[in-house]
Amino acid sequence: MPNNSNTAHSETCSKSATPYDDVARTLLNDCSSLILPVLNEIFGEHYKGNEEVLFAPNEHYINQQGGEADKRITDSSFTVIGEKESKKVLI
């Protein structure tokens, strides 16, 4: 008897994002206090931690000819607003 759990697992994995996308989304959604330290470490920024982070939506609906809409999830983008300047970030 074939093992259907492997087939279901491979179908689920092929529809999901990469592990890197999953980590980035977890960081942005569940650990937002770590965003600025990560940007400092990876991109050599010098955020102090008192900057404001404003998230842009990453879910978009694309209207199709038949009247249906496809949901598309894109990369995450946000703006870091500091005292002197603002920067847009796309992850």
Side-chain angles (χ1 to χ4, degrees):
M1 179 173 211
N3 184 352
N4 291 335
S5 64
N6 286 341
T7 303
H9 176 70
S10 64
E11 287 176 10
T12 302
C13 288
S14 66
K15 294 179 183 176
S16 69
T18 67
Y20 300 106
D21 291 336
D22 294 342
V23 169
R25 271 192 224 297
T26 299
L27 173 69
L28 293 172
N29 294 327
D30 299 340
C31 307
S32 59
S33 63
L34 298 176
I35 293 172
L36 296 176
V38 167
L39 292 175
N40 286 342
E41 183 68 27
I42 293 175
F43 299 110
E45 298 290 347
H46 302 287
Y47 296 120
K48 296 177 183 176
N50 59 350
E51 295 82 3
E52 183 179 3
V53 179
L54 296 176
F55 293 97
N58 69 336
E59 294 180 0
H60 306 280
Y61 292 89
I62 300 169
N63 294 327
Q64 301 297 324
Q65 286 184 352
E68 298 178 18
D70 288 339
K71 183 177 180 180
R72 185 111 1 121
I73 299 176
T74 61
D75 294 334
S76 298
S77 65
F78 54 91
T79 302
V80 178
I81 301 173
E83 292 178 20
K84 296 181 181 179
E85 67 177 338
S86 298
K87 286 189 177 182
K88 290 186 179 183
V89 180
L90 177 69
I91 294 180

